[in-house]
Amino acid sequence: FAIAAAIFLIIVTPSFMLWEKYTRDIDSYDKQLSLQIAALSASDQLVKHPGVPKNWTYTNFTTIGIASKPHIINQSKLNNLSSMNYSDIKKGLNIVGKELHLKIYYINNTLILEKGLNATQKSEIVTTTRFAHLNNQTVKIEVQTWQEV
């Protein structure tokens, strides 16, 4: 009986260890994928869509977008975004269960707008970058998402 139990433990123990490792790997992959989807969706929504309603304001919105046309930023929508608080921006971009940092600046690194929180060093951060035009100049839009650990 002791030999059979030992053989059983020799086979089963590594199997459980492998199972645990693969479960952690899958959880990490799922978290990373969720962050990527959130960042991509938010950045696409900002630069490709006008928002809902189309002429939304910082006090009246369902979703936010700052484009008058895809990749053409509307200055008044940008001003409305600038007036919004963090929780409303997350709501308007449908960021749920994650944190957000948004930065818009000209190619020469002149800052136009920065909103959101700063990630901690322990956070796994996903950053997406989009380019658009504002007043006939190219701007860079960076959206970062993460989950606090």
Side-chain angles (χ1 to χ4, degrees):
F1 174 76
I3 294 173
I7 292 172
F8 177 77
L9 288 175
I10 289 171
I11 293 172
V12 171
T13 301
S15 297
F16 281 120
M17 292 170 64
L18 282 173
W19 178 264
E20 179 66 26
K21 180 196 178 311
Y22 287 129
T23 301
R24 279 193 313 269
D25 290 349
I26 289 170
D27 288 345
S28 176
Y29 175 78
D30 284 348
K31 181 179 177 183
Q32 178 75 15
L33 184 60
S34 173
L35 292 170
Q36 288 174 350
I37 290 169
L40 287 168
S41 295
S43 62
D44 277 352
Q45 187 174 323
L46 283 169
V47 300
K48 293 181 179 180
H49 302 284
V52 176
K54 190 174 183 175
N55 293 318
W56 64 272
T57 66
Y58 69 94
T59 58
N60 178 29
F61 66 92
T62 303
T63 61
I64 58 176
I66 56 174
S68 53
K69 297 178 188 172
H71 300 278
I72 305 295
I73 294 177
N74 178 298
Q75 183 66 55
S76 65
K77 291 176 186 283
L78 185 62
N79 294 343
N80 278 314
L81 178 61
S82 179
S83 299
M84 295 177 78
N85 66 43
Y86 178 67
S87 62
D88 284 344
I89 292 171
K90 283 180 56 175
K91 178 182 170 189
L93 292 174
N94 196 30
I95 301 291
V96 178
K98 297 164 187 60
E99 303 304 332
L100 171 76
H101 187 259
L102 169 64
K103 189 174 178 183
I104 302 173
Y105 51 97
Y106 291 106
I107 294 301
N108 67 4
N109 289 328
T110 302
L111 184 63
I112 300 167
L113 174 75
E114 188 168 15
K115 298 292 259 186
L117 303 179
N118 290 317
T120 63
Q121 289 182 345
K122 294 180 182 177
S123 302
E124 184 175 339
I125 304 166
V126 171
T127 303
T128 59
T129 303
R130 297 281 189 259
F131 293 91
H133 293 297
L134 172 65
N135 301 325
N136 295 318
Q137 293 187 44
T138 303
V139 296
K140 194 172 181 179
I141 297 101
E142 287 183 356
V143 175
Q144 291 183 332
T145 56
W146 68 92
Q147 288 178 313
E148 290 298 332
V149 287

